[in-house]
Amino acid sequence: MQRLTNKHHLPSIESSRIAQSIGMALDRFIKNNQSQFQYASGELSQLLRDIALASKVVNREVNKAGLIDIMGAVGSQNTGGEDQQKLDVLANIRFSRALEKGGEVCALISEETESFVDLNNEGKYVIAIDPLDGSSNIDVNVSIGTIFSVYRRKSPAGTPIQPQDILQKGSEQVAAGYVLYGSSTMLVYTTGHGVNGFTYEPTLGEYFLSHPSMRIPDEGKIYSINEGSSNSFPKAVKEYIQLCKDKNYTARYIGSLVADFHRNILKGGIYVYPATAKNPNGKLRLMYECNALAFVAEQAGGAATDGSGRILDIQINDLHQRTPFYVGSKNMVEQAMRF
Ligand code: AHM
Ligand code: MG
């Protein structure tokens, strides 16, 4: 079995420094911690701010989603004069626009577009994004999320984007995170120096540090899997689920990856989306769903695997490549691997 655990344990002095920053606004936090980045020129900080800004706009759209049909019925347009669109499409437009205008990103990979988008600029970063994940929950007022991964481009700035800029392994991410549009909206991210969570205060329009130096418990009692598909799970997965039942674990499955993952990070648990008859390579996408959450999980002391090795080490051959996904508390993931 390959090494699954996180080697970057946050030194306790560092984590207590961050703990003292609780309540700090996201902008200030990013600025204060900018020197941690390997390339501390400010562009990555600006990119994170662009993501935060776009997420606030998407949050606004998500919150009024229930009104869209009503407004649509009277032929309403949004403030930009566009016709009301489906939320996932809208979220893609909001994030793409913010990242394009920001200028730090030279190429965009999105669940919503077949190929990557070359932004033809001098940007140093490549971003892979699932603008609004949890398609089955979008129209029914259940938590949904945005997932993002950030890479350094490899070819010289200002030249056309090359395959080596796009097809980078998860271990090459320089930042990753997610936004959870839930009972509160949260932005959680890592730049490889631990994981920090920020809660959105809508009346002030700001994210504030609420979950400093997040650590996922090594052990947990929650398992999250779509058991409705269990007839077509591999035998080992069926046996693992039986073990969860024998141990009286709690089953929790929202069907929005970000929400299930976030709960398990806070409480301890495992999220599993295995290979099934319908999706022999798993359902979830490596580039804009699994890699980001694997990076966050490892940085929080957890683990992520495809059942045979570390998610972050998987070679990328295709933008929309799928993978089985086991992520969460270190001991639970290791135990699942033993099956
Ligand atoms: P999506 O990208 O179409 O939203 O699919 C991804 C989602 C995840 O958020 C979630 O964990 C999973 O698909 C649920 O799938 P299922 O309905 O098969 O359990
Ligand atoms: Mg998705």
Side-chain angles (χ1 to χ4, degrees):
M1 188 171 84
Q2 281 179 274
R3 188 185 62 79
L4 294 178
T5 51
N6 168 29
K7 63 174 190 267
H8 308 281
H9 285 290
L10 203 60
S12 56
I13 299 175
E14 178 61 5
S15 69
S16 75
R17 182 183 69 78
I18 290 181
Q20 282 162 18
S21 311
I22 204 157
M24 184 180 279
L26 174 66
D27 267 7
R28 180 170 291 275
F29 183 89
I30 291 174
K31 187 162 169 283
N32 286 2
N33 291 283
Q34 186 171 304
S35 60
Q36 285 178 336
F37 306 151
Q38 195 184 347
Y39 314 92
S41 56
E43 282 114 327
L44 184 57
S45 298
Q46 187 52 46
L47 198 170
L48 291 169
R49 287 192 201 100
D50 294 342
I51 290 173
L53 176 61
S55 76
K56 292 178 194 177
V57 179
V58 170
N59 181 58
R60 194 185 59 190
E61 315 283 1
V62 167
N63 279 321
K64 65 178 192 202
L67 294 169
I68 284 184
D69 279 347
I70 301 168
M71 295 194 293
V74 291
S76 161
Q77 294 185 327
N78 63 19
T79 47
E82 299 155 321
D83 291 330
Q84 301 291 353
Q85 307 207 38
K86 276 196 74 69
L87 268 182
D88 40 4
V89 178
L90 207 54
N92 192 45
I93 294 170
R94 297 289 178 248
F95 278 100
S96 305
R97 201 176 279 168
L99 293 166
E100 186 171 358
K101 286 211 170 120
E104 279 73 36
V105 172
C106 59
L108 261 167
I109 300 150
S110 165
E111 173 162 356
E112 298 295 327
T113 48
E114 200 48 40
S115 183
F116 70 88
V117 181
D118 184 342
L119 295 176
N120 290 312
N121 63 18
E122 300 273 314
K124 294 186 181 133
Y125 293 97
V126 171
I127 195 158
I129 190 162
D130 185 349
L132 212 55
D133 181 67
S135 39
S136 64
N137 287 325
I138 289 177
D139 295 332
V140 291
N141 268 358
V142 175
S143 298
I144 45 184
T146 295
I147 309 172
F148 62 91
S149 289
V150 184
Y151 299 85
R152 289 277 296 182
R153 78 172 290 173
K154 300 208 157 170
S155 59
T159 60
I161 300 297
Q162 301 297 317
Q164 78 258 26
D165 299 320
I166 299 295
L167 302 176
Q168 299 194 49
K169 285 197 286 194
S171 56
E172 298 184 87
Q173 289 170 101
V174 293
Y178 58 86
V179 182
L180 171 63
Y181 310 97
S183 48
S184 293
T185 294
M186 280 195 72
L187 170 67
V188 175
Y189 79 92
T190 181
T191 55
H193 300 272
V195 180
N196 292 290
F198 299 79
T199 301
Y200 185 56
E201 214 299 12
T203 58
L204 298 174
E206 272 283 8
Y207 284 102
F208 293 97
L209 180 64
S210 52
H211 295 64
S213 303
M214 290 167 73
R215 304 292 297 168
I216 179 166
D218 287 345
E219 287 291 354
K221 292 194 164 150
I222 297 174
Y223 69 106
S224 309
I225 187 166
N226 185 346
E227 242 184 298
S229 311
S230 62
N231 283 350
S232 72
F233 288 165
K235 184 165 163 277
V237 176
K238 288 182 187 164
E239 285 169 5
Y240 177 67
I241 295 175
Q242 189 54 49
L243 174 96
C244 293
K245 291 177 179 167
D246 294 343
K247 290 192 160 202
N248 284 323
Y249 286 172
T250 295
R252 287 282 182 276
Y253 190 73
I254 295 168
S256 280
L257 176 59
V258 169
D260 282 310
F261 176 82
H262 183 72
R263 181 202 49 245
N264 291 353
I265 278 235
L266 295 183
K267 304 222 171 204
I270 186 170
Y271 173 96
V272 178
Y273 208 111
T276 60
K278 190 172 159 205
N279 292 301
N281 296 319
K283 174 187 180 189
L284 299 176
R285 317 297 180 117
L286 186 54
M287 281 217 76
Y288 41 78
E289 291 176 332
C290 303
N291 271 338
L293 300 187
F295 189 23
V296 171
E298 287 198 7
Q299 284 292 317
T305 163
D306 65 351
S308 60
R310 192 174 169 233
I311 286 287
L312 298 182
D313 289 334
I314 298 176
Q315 192 63 46
I316 309 268
N317 303 310
D318 182 89
L319 295 186
H320 302 286
Q321 185 169 328
R322 297 172 193 268
T323 178
F325 196 38
Y326 303 73
V327 65
S329 292
K330 187 168 63 114
N331 294 349
M332 293 183 86
V333 173
E334 282 175 358
Q335 182 171 49
M337 288 281 281
R338 285 197 282 276
F339 280 78

